[in-house]
Amino acid sequence: MAVIASAPGKVLITGGYLVLERPNAGIVLSTNARFYAIVKPLYDELRPDSWAWSWTDLKLTSPQMGRETMYKMSLKHFALQCTSSEARNPFVEYAVQYSVAAAYSTFDDNKKDLLQKLLLQGFDITILGSNDFYSYRNEIEARGLPLTPESLASLPPFSSITFNAEQSDGQNSKPEVAKTGLGSSAAMTTSVVAALLHYLGVVNLSSYNGAQHQENLDVVHIIAQTAHCMAQGKVGSGFDVSSAVYGSHRYVRFSPQVISSAQNAIRAMPLEDVVADVLKGKWDHERTKFSLPPLMNLLLGEPGTGGSSTPSMVGAVKNWQKSDPQHSSDTWKRLSEANTTLEAQLTLLSKLAEDHWEIYQSVIYSCSMCQPQKWAEQASEAVSHEIVKALFGARDAMLNIRSEMKLMGMAAGIPIEPESQTELLDATMNMCGVLLAGVPGAGGFDAVFAVTLGDSGNNLAKAWSSHNVLALLVREDPRGVCIENSDPRTNQITSGMSSVSIV
């Protein structure tokens, strides 16, 4: 009776900071790094006195962190009480509460009776994240292995996670896990919500009926967005949850009021009613299909510089906007124009590939084997000139984005593109077959990304290794949330190859 759902991690290649405000758009690519949630009954059958119970049990297991946390959940208020000493996971807690409340708010009385029986069997939830969500540099170096994708691939799937030993405040606070910036909390929340909503019968994610299938995804999206915002304590842009549900796309955020009203209502209304209102709310986010053009590959590199705190960087940019509205408005306008140009050039390349496949294929493979300054030599007639022109248009737009982001960071007093990243990215963009390189999302010291042509990614991974940068195993995978056929630990699924796609 187990339900297994998975949701992808993300890379925001355009729209950093801007995507926080409507109507600015961001291009977000979903990846083959996936988070898995396995939901099954905690007990095989109901106990004789089960109808007298007003609480049920929840066991949350995270094998990678070596944690097993026990909860009791009220079947009246959906409140969770932790009954073990392990650290709590607010993202999973809110995912459980809001998913169960969604079932109560949408079911009739007959379905509620069946739901009650299912809930009284308890929940046994296991969460697993692909290795690429976390940093394993220390483990690779400790084994004496080179900083290569092959070394990463030699680690067992869902390897144990090492906690950072250093404490920023010097106190005995909870240690943090070193992450790579792929949006693990959004992917985890989405996978748990999807598995629970399917398990409880709120949605059927195995159905491929067009309209019904889209409605099911929308319900997963709304509950996952709300749970994720509640766990964070703030309303973010939501692009990471959106890509975890729908896959790669162009994203414009929803109006924050749709969730902030729920944050206020929670103090005065039962959770069941709050969730009912959220499901009926005006979700005005925009989502347009987008993925990389053919024969182009996403590559991520971990520089090993420790990562950055996105919330504190966003806070610094917001403070700068308030203190210098004219300058910041001009910067955002130029950034928005550069983002739009990059999107247009990539869309054009996809169209050229569709209309002139053989010429496109020939040009991309030729350009993949030489440095950008020699790409123009690979064009011999009109269509190939148009393809090369679009490649250069995309590169120029990326350079403009990087320049504006770096200036914005300097004005706000934060390292959006630190000098060490600038040197790495400049060297990367000068390598054979590299179209784009940049700092994804909010920037800082997280992983850098590159978009490569043809098979040139292999050479880039080797070049990065010589710069002490670990190329990750992440690639673009445009699919969103999925119901899986089997436990990923038994099949050693790391890229979702045997999953049932619902996007």
Side-chain angles (χ1 to χ4, degrees):
M1 198 174 163
V3 169
I4 304 165
S6 73
K10 53 69 189 172
V11 178
L12 186 72
I13 64 169
T14 73
Y17 297 96
L18 272 71
V19 77
L20 288 163
E21 296 181 6
R22 291 173 57 84
N24 297 314
I27 292 174
V28 58
L29 303 180
S30 55
T31 71
N32 59 351
R34 300 185 78 84
F35 231 98
Y36 298 82
I38 304 167
V39 176
K40 59 185 179 182
L42 186 57
Y43 307 118
D44 291 335
E45 55 188 34
L46 295 178
R47 297 178 189 177
D49 61 345
S50 61
W51 285 106
W53 295 359
S54 57
W55 295 79
T56 191
D57 298 322
L58 165 65
K59 181 171 80 169
L60 172 63
T61 307
S62 175
Q64 288 162 288
M65 295 190 182
R67 289 177 178 168
E68 184 179 292
T69 309
M70 293 298 300
Y71 296 92
K72 284 197 172 295
M73 186 175 77
S74 164
L75 296 184
K76 185 176 182 183
H77 305 295
F78 315 119
L80 283 166
Q81 291 183 1
C82 188
T83 58
S84 62
S85 58
E86 288 290 350
R88 300 181 69 151
N89 186 323
F91 294 98
V92 173
E93 290 177 22
Y94 278 102
V96 171
Q97 289 175 288
Y98 280 72
S99 297
V100 174
Y104 272 99
S105 70
T106 54
F107 285 176
D108 59 25
D109 288 342
N110 288 336
K111 279 192 173 181
K112 282 180 182 174
D113 288 342
L114 295 171
L115 174 65
Q116 184 86 352
K117 291 178 182 177
L118 192 57
L119 293 176
L120 287 171
Q121 287 184 264
F123 294 114
D124 183 343
I125 301 176
T126 301
I127 51 174
L128 300 156
S130 296
N131 288 352
D132 275 312
F133 283 106
Y134 306 105
S135 173
Y136 291 94
R137 280 181 69 106
N138 293 343
E139 188 166 340
I140 288 171
E141 288 169 345
R143 293 186 180 195
L145 298 173
L147 287 173
T148 63
E150 291 76 18
S151 296
L152 262 183
S154 72
L155 299 176
F158 314 113
S159 287
S160 294
I161 298 163
T162 304
F163 291 93
N164 289 333
E166 296 139 5
Q167 301 300 318
S168 57
D169 57 3
Q171 302 297 313
N172 187 25
S173 58
K174 186 180 77 171
E176 289 292 327
V177 175
K179 298 180 182 179
T180 54
L182 290 175
S184 56
S185 66
M188 175 174 61
T189 303
T190 301
S191 66
V192 173
V193 166
L196 278 168
L197 291 178
H198 187 92
Y199 176 80
L200 297 173
V202 179
V203 298
N204 178 7
L205 296 179
S206 299
S207 168
Y208 299 98
N209 180 304
Q212 186 63 47
H213 148 79
Q214 188 59 50
E215 286 177 23
N216 286 334
L217 285 184
D218 291 344
V219 171
V220 173
H221 176 249
I222 290 170
I223 299 302
Q225 284 284 17
T226 308
H228 192 253
C229 286
M230 292 296 185
Q232 284 186 316
K234 64 183 182 66
V235 181
S237 69
F239 75 86
D240 45 4
V241 172
S242 186
S243 62
V245 175
Y246 300 111
S248 297
H249 60 276
R250 177 187 186 270
Y251 176 79
V252 176
R253 71 158 304 152
F254 53 85
S255 297
Q257 304 90 275
V258 74
I259 287 182
S260 56
S261 61
Q263 287 178 316
N264 297 328
I266 203 75
R267 302 183 186 97
M269 290 168 59
L271 183 59
E272 185 179 334
D273 296 339
V274 172
V275 171
D277 285 350
V278 168
L279 285 168
K280 293 176 200 159
K282 187 183 177 186
W283 287 83
D284 52 0
H285 57 287
E286 297 172 26
R287 181 173 50 84
T288 311
K289 189 174 180 181
F290 182 92
S291 60
L292 288 176
L295 307 180
M296 295 189 188
N297 299 294
L298 175 71
L299 198 65
L300 266 73
E302 187 194 345
T305 39
S308 299
S309 169
T310 298
S312 62
M313 293 177 70
V314 168
V317 168
K318 286 186 173 179
N319 289 336
W320 165 64
Q321 285 180 285
K322 288 175 187 172
S323 65
D324 192 352
Q326 185 59 53
H327 183 201
S328 61
S329 176
D330 291 344
T331 301
W332 277 44
K333 185 181 178 196
R334 291 192 300 270
L335 250 179
S336 180
E337 289 170 355
N339 287 337
T340 301
T341 300
L342 177 55
E343 180 188 340
Q345 295 300 322
L346 293 175
T347 301
L348 173 59
L349 284 161
S350 291
K351 183 75 168 61
L352 288 166
E354 186 180 332
D355 294 344
H356 310 280
W357 173 246
E358 290 185 2
I359 298 173
Y360 176 88
Q361 188 178 31
S362 173
V363 171
I364 295 300
Y365 277 125
S366 296
C367 291
S368 73
M369 293 183 281
C370 58
Q371 290 179 294
Q373 56 264 40
K374 294 188 177 179
W375 288 357
E377 299 170 16
Q378 313 310 312
S380 56
E381 37 74 51
V383 173
S384 55
H385 276 293
E386 196 175 351
I387 294 167
V388 170
K389 183 181 176 184
L391 292 174
F392 279 119
R395 280 179 66 82
D396 290 344
M398 189 74 235
L399 289 169
N400 288 337
I401 291 169
R402 285 183 50 203
S403 174
E404 295 298 338
M405 291 280 276
K406 191 174 179 73
L407 288 171
M408 182 166 69
M410 291 166 67
I414 52 169
I416 292 178
E417 187 182 293
E419 197 54 43
S420 59
Q421 303 282 59
T422 297
E423 292 174 10
L424 172 62
L425 294 171
D426 286 347
T428 298
M429 285 190 72
N430 199 37
M431 291 179 190
C432 291
V434 175
L435 178 65
L436 312 172
V439 287
F445 294 97
D446 284 337
V448 297
F449 78 88
V451 174
T452 61
L453 307 178
D455 299 323
S456 59
N458 295 328
N459 293 329
L460 176 58
K462 291 173 187 171
W464 271 354
S465 181
S466 67
H467 285 80
N468 201 36
V469 175
L470 174 59
L472 304 180
L473 299 172
V474 174
R475 297 293 182 269
E476 185 197 10
D477 181 345
R479 300 171 310 129
V481 70
C482 295
I483 292 296
E484 299 287 342
N485 294 331
S486 56
D487 189 319
R489 292 167 295 184
T490 57
N491 273 16
Q492 295 196 348
I493 303 170
T494 55
S495 61
M497 290 303 290
S498 60
S499 58
V500 179
S501 175
I502 59 166
V503 173

